[in-house]
Amino acid sequence: MELRLEAARRPDLARILGDTLRRGYRDDVAFHLAAGLPGGAFEVALLHYAVDGLLLDLLGTSIEAGFDPDDVVVAFVSRLVGGVDR
């Protein structure tokens, strides 16, 4: 998270980090589709956005909701991807 914030201030870092993040996202989409999981690129993006927020909460000042992070990730996946019609 801190690296992403720093990249917003440093164009050279933004270029390198952006390439890495986009490659990771494309790889995640390819894995998702190859595994035959429901949904597609949009649902994988939703998962990235959701998990990034969870990581920020775990690494920074937390809302301290008291939920197990593993349970939260399972809920993300089942709600964001599990109900998608193919």
Side-chain angles (χ1 to χ4, degrees):
M1 299 301 164
E2 189 169 337
L3 192 56
R4 283 186 175 198
L5 293 172
E6 184 64 22
R9 295 182 287 272
R10 296 180 42 202
D12 290 343
L13 177 58
R15 188 171 36 261
I16 294 166
L17 181 60
D19 289 346
T20 300
L21 292 171
R22 287 185 291 275
R23 184 174 40 255
Y25 168 69
R26 287 191 307 267
D27 289 348
D28 287 348
V29 170
F31 173 83
H32 189 89
L33 296 174
L37 298 169
F42 181 73
E43 287 74 24
V44 172
L46 288 176
L47 289 170
H48 273 260
Y49 298 146
V51 170
D52 286 350
L54 174 64
L55 289 174
L56 183 59
D57 188 77
L58 292 172
L59 295 172
T61 302
S62 176
I63 64 170
E64 297 182 14
F67 299 106
D68 182 278
D70 290 340
D71 294 338
V72 172
V73 171
V74 169
F76 283 158
V77 173
S78 66
R79 293 178 186 181
L80 295 175
V81 177
V84 173
D85 294 324
R86 260 202 180 257

